[in-house]
Amino acid sequence: MDVHGHLPLAPRDLLILAVLAERPSHGYGLIKAVEERSESGVLLDPANLYRVLRRMRELGWIEEAGDDEGRRRVHRITDRGHALVSAELARLERLLGQARPALAQGRSG
Amino acid sequence: MDVHGHLPLAPRDLLILAVLAERPSHGYGLIKAVEERSESGVLLDPANLYRVLRRMRELGWIEEAGDDEGRRRVHRITDRGHALVSAELARLERLLGQARPALAQGRSG
DNA sequence: CCGACTATCTGTAGAATGACACTTAGTCAC
DNA sequence: GTGACTAAGTGTCATTCTACAGATAGTCGG
């Protein structure tokens, strides 16, 4: 699982894959889900989202799960995509573990 | 402190700022520090680093702390930069809090 | 002088992003 | 039929990133 070489994941890639790791979704649903769960004001523009979705499909991070009612194309995360999110989350956890204490302490020094 | 509009931070921006939040550093030192602390194989190319550093200086995230011995330009994080890292780390913590359990559970479903 | 290491920085090419506007089409309420 | 909402896309432009290579220069050991 050649997950390295793609890390670190772009923030929006991670958000998209994180949502898809929870449940398969279609493009519009992803826009809404990402908007909701990131209070920080992270937005997905459709122009970008569908491009990213195609790129992820080509990279084998996600796959089409057939269509829901004929109108919505549902995207599902693959094992490779899942491994990628896991690796990125692990990386971020290590980063947070290092940066959090340094941030608190660095201010007084 | 208009920190929003810049979030989410690009992964390498965050790494750079996180190091600088710990202690002021010069360019070459940043390359080495980021290389060491991210086992995930995240590298900083000098070509990118110095450009990113200039951009961050223009945005007021970092500032020059004079030079160390005349040869090395030392960069220090500003209050604005510090606020930015804090905000980004907080965003990542929320993200991890949501994504971690979903990732563990989403596999069985 | 030569080589290795430290250090800053430019040039370039290809890919991707972000933000804007726009099209097409089904559903639902009125 | 009109308007609002859901849904999937395309087109474009400026900016940016990444990765490659190379220029320039000081220090230290041999």
Side-chain angles (χ1 to χ4, degrees), chain B residues 24-74:
Chain B
S25 180
H26 55 286
Y28 192 78
L30 280 167
I31 292 175
K32 294 300 166 196
V34 166
E35 230 165 273
E36 275 167 31
R37 86 176 44 198
S38 59
E39 317 87 66
S40 355
V42 183
L43 297 177
L44 288 184
D45 189 289
N48 307 327
L49 175 70
Y50 291 110
R51 274 189 286 251
V52 168
L53 244 29
R54 179 167 53 237
R55 190 178 121 259
M56 286 186 176
R57 216 159 43 233
E58 283 164 6
L59 286 167
W61 299 357
I62 62 175
E63 62 190 3
E64 249 173 285
D67 32 313
D68 163 309
E69 285 148 33
R71 205 149 65 84
R72 308 190 289 186
R73 304 175 61 182
V74 177

Side-chain angles (χ1 to χ4, degrees), chain A residues 36-56:
Chain A
E36 275 168 31
R37 87 176 42 197
S38 58
E39 317 88 62
S40 353
V42 183
L43 297 177
L44 287 183
D45 188 289
N48 306 329
L49 175 69
Y50 292 112
R51 270 194 299 246
V52 168
L53 244 28
R54 179 167 51 237
R55 191 179 119 259
M56 286 186 176

Side-chain angles (χ1 to χ4, degrees), chain A residues 62-81:
Chain A
I62 62 175
E63 62 191 1
E64 249 173 286
D67 32 313
D68 168 309
E69 284 147 35
R71 203 147 66 84
R72 308 191 290 186
R73 305 175 60 181
V74 177
H75 308 276
R76 179 172 43 211
I77 198 166
T78 61
D79 285 346
R80 175 187 292 270

